[in-house]
Amino acid sequence: MKKIGLALGGGAVLGAAHIGVLRALHEHNINVNYITGTSIGAFVASLVAFGKTWEEIENIASEIKWMDISGITLSKFALLTNEKLGELSIKHIGDKNIEDAMIPLAIIATDISNGEKIVLNKGSVATAIMASTCIPGIYKPIEFDGKMLVDGGIAENIPVKTVKEMGAKFVIAVDLNSSHTYQKPNNILDIILNSFHFLIQKTNKFQTRKASILLQPDLSKFNGSDTKQIQELIKKGYEDAIESFKKSFS
């Protein structure tokens, strides 16, 4: 059997759809040998890599609210900090290093000084998650190894190339933004998220060309900031993944 890699893309709250994909993988007895994630995909990928089941991840996600993962900061670079998200990861997987993962894991961030992709495959999981989910303009950049890191979506939103470089020969990629309809913003968070995702949407198709299976759940009726949608997003991710797997593995 070819080594299977899973590449989970970014998409803020839309990332709950990843959990539905994990359920579909479980029901098809598809075991992942390598996993990568960007932004919210990094958080989900880390939980998977450290042995959490899709049910456990669903329970974690169902309790998350924006203010549970955000705090006010006095930084000149942003209004908020996502240190609480790092604390949440420590709560559920411990204060671990990436190299301790049960499944080989890589997390994508961006060096905001030069736009370079930074592949985090060692060191603190919590710090890597914070860096990868650090949406510019919302969260304070993360200082790491002399670099100022922000959301990995700028450099590689769907890390297919990275998981192939880890050794995966068969890659399942999840793109949360391809079928997403952007609604009229209700607040500044929606404005920043929409702007950010407009930018990365154009690069996603190039990043996913070498995926063996590309899952693009239809998330057109959802927005990227409302945590009340989490259960519906999980259900939609599951339904669309099941349909795709029927075609691919029948």
Side-chain angles (χ1 to χ4, degrees):
M1 181 68 179
K2 291 182 178 180
K3 295 287 187 180
I4 297 176
L6 180 62
L8 301 180
V13 171
L14 299 178
H18 287 321
I19 302 168
V21 173
L22 296 177
R23 178 184 174 187
L25 289 169
H26 172 76
E27 292 183 2
H28 278 77
N29 296 310
I30 300 170
N31 296 313
V32 173
N33 304 105
Y34 305 93
I35 188 164
T36 55
T38 298
S39 199
I40 190 61
F43 180 60
V44 176
S46 297
L47 293 170
V48 173
F50 280 88
K52 296 296 182 183
T53 65
W54 73 265
E55 295 100 330
E56 290 173 314
I57 299 173
E58 179 180 27
N59 288 336
I60 293 168
S62 65
E63 299 173 0
I64 292 178
K65 303 292 184 292
W66 270 108
M67 293 316 296
D68 293 335
I69 59 174
S70 305
I72 303 297
T73 179
L74 298 177
S75 170
K76 65 181 179 180
F77 296 112
L79 297 175
L80 301 176
T81 172
N82 63 352
E83 289 177 4
K84 289 184 180 180
L85 183 58
E87 293 170 2
L88 188 66
S89 73
I90 292 173
K91 174 183 175 181
H92 291 290
I93 65 177
D95 192 7
K96 301 289 183 65
N97 286 334
I98 296 172
E99 57 266 39
D100 299 326
M102 298 164 63
I103 300 171
L105 167 69
I107 290 172
I108 308 302
T110 304
D111 185 339
I112 197 59
S113 298
N114 57 21
E116 178 184 354
K117 178 176 79 172
I118 305 297
V119 178
L120 301 171
N121 52 22
K122 59 183 179 180
S124 167
V125 177
T127 300
I129 289 172
M130 288 165 56
S132 188
T133 57
C134 187
I135 303 168
I138 296 180
Y139 293 124
K140 180 179 72 172
I142 303 300
E143 298 280 352
F144 181 84
D145 196 25
K147 299 179 175 67
M148 185 179 284
L149 303 183
V150 298
D151 199 298
I154 297 170
E156 189 182 26
N157 190 49
I158 307 171
V160 172
K161 182 180 179 182
T162 299
V163 81
K164 287 177 73 69
E165 290 171 347
M166 292 171 70
K169 302 301 181 185
F170 187 95
V171 177
I172 300 170
V174 186
D175 177 3
L176 301 174
N177 296 293
S178 65
S179 300
H180 183 52
T181 301
Y182 294 87
Q183 308 295 327
K184 182 179 179 180
N186 292 315
N187 50 55
I188 187 172
L189 181 60
D190 283 347
I191 288 174
I192 294 175
L193 286 175
N194 280 10
S195 300
F196 185 59
H197 290 138
F198 289 148
L199 293 173
I200 63 177
Q201 196 174 41
K202 297 183 184 302
T203 64
N204 284 353
K205 61 182 179 181
F206 299 106
Q207 295 170 1
T208 57
R209 284 183 298 182
K210 294 187 178 180
S212 308
I213 295 178
L214 176 58
L215 302 178
Q216 297 177 305
D218 182 0
L219 307 180
S220 54
K221 73 174 186 175
F222 303 98
N223 72 55
S225 64
D226 187 357
T227 55
K228 295 176 183 177
Q229 311 165 108
I230 284 177
Q231 288 302 320
E232 287 185 77
L233 281 161
I234 294 171
K235 182 172 181 286
K236 187 59 178 169
Y238 169 73
E239 291 171 347
D240 285 16
I242 285 291
E243 284 301 311
S244 180
F245 290 163
K246 282 180 181 177
K247 297 173 185 175
S248 300
F249 298 112
S250 58

